Every structure is written in structure tokens, then in C-alpha cells.
Amino acid sequence: NNLAHAIRTENAKKEKVKIKYESKKLMVKGDRQRIQQVMSNLINNALRFTKEGEIIVKTQVIDGFAQITVKDTGSGIDPEIMPRLFEKFVTKSEKGTGLGLYISNSIVQAHGGKMWAENNADGKGATLAFRLPLEKRHQEEL
């Protein structure tokens, strides 16, 4: 899978960051490439802001939705930009354009979902998450 390869390549540069997957197979109806783009963006952002520690990618079913969370132990989200996080050109990174979360949020919304972000309660890092409607036949199997 292209996403897994890209993540492994990026993570190889960061030997002090572990990526853990707590995944459950979920089916959603949507554009596979666009959903991969969202996942890639969230994981790459987590890698960019996490110098050491871990990133946990988790998939689960909540209230009939597929929920995907990317939690890191990085620097967290600057409170100054938090209210505008999903707007165009909002970033505190010297490498980013500030379009990744804007585009990701647009993709999630176009699929009938919702995206949000928060700093972790323990003060270490942030969690970005999104929900997408489950594929109808998958809901029946649960």
C-alpha cells in the first residue's frame, strides 16, 4: 500500500518516533485516494511535530461512524491557531503551506463526515480525528 510505504519512509528519518496501529477493519463508501490523502496528511503532520515519542493511529466504530484518530506526543497545537486550524494557510510549521488540514477537512466533509482536533489532556501532543459514515452493509454486520 502506497500510504504505508510513504509513512515507513518518512518514519525511517525519525528513529525516536514509534508509530502504533490500533486498527479495526472498517468499510466506508468513498474515494479511496482522497481518504488516503487525509490519512497521509494527518500522519505526516504528527511526524513533523513529534521529535520523539509515539504516534498512535486508531480506527474504531462510534455511534455508527468509522472514527479514525491520530494521536501524537509532539509539541501540540498552538492555542493561537487552534480556532482557525482548518482554514486556508494556517500553519506554525516552516515546511508546510497551511493547506493540508483545510483540504483534509474539505474531503471529510464531502464524504459526509466531520473532522476535529484537540491538544491532549496530559499536555503532550495533539489528537486529530475524523468520522465517516460506515458503509450500510458494514453497519448491518456489527
Side-chain angles (χ1 to χ4, degrees), residues 96-132:
T97 61
L99 288 172
L101 289 178
Y102 170 77
I103 292 168
S104 294
N105 189 40
S106 297
I107 291 168
V108 168
Q109 288 179 355
H111 283 81
K114 173 186 170 186
M115 180 177 270
W116 66 95
E118 61 191 15
N119 282 315
N120 298 329
D122 64 5
K124 296 177 186 170
T127 299
L128 280 96
F130 65 97
R131 284 187 180 182
L132 295 173

Side-chain angles (χ1 to χ4, degrees), residues 26-30 35 38-39 42 58-70 86 104-118 127-135 139:
L26 303 174
M27 274 198 325
V28 297
K29 187 174 183 177
I35 302 301
V38 172
M39 289 298 305
L42 295 185
K58 187 174 184 176
T59 59
Q60 57 192 347
V61 175
I62 297 182
D63 299 330
F65 286 84
Q67 181 168 302
I68 297 89
T69 56
V70 178
F86 298 110
S104 294
N105 189 40
S106 297
I107 291 168
V108 168
Q109 288 179 355
H111 283 81
K114 173 186 170 186
M115 180 177 270
W116 66 95
E118 61 191 15
T127 299
L128 280 96
F130 65 97
R131 284 187 180 182
L132 295 173
L134 283 170
E135 206 337 297
Q139 283 181 328

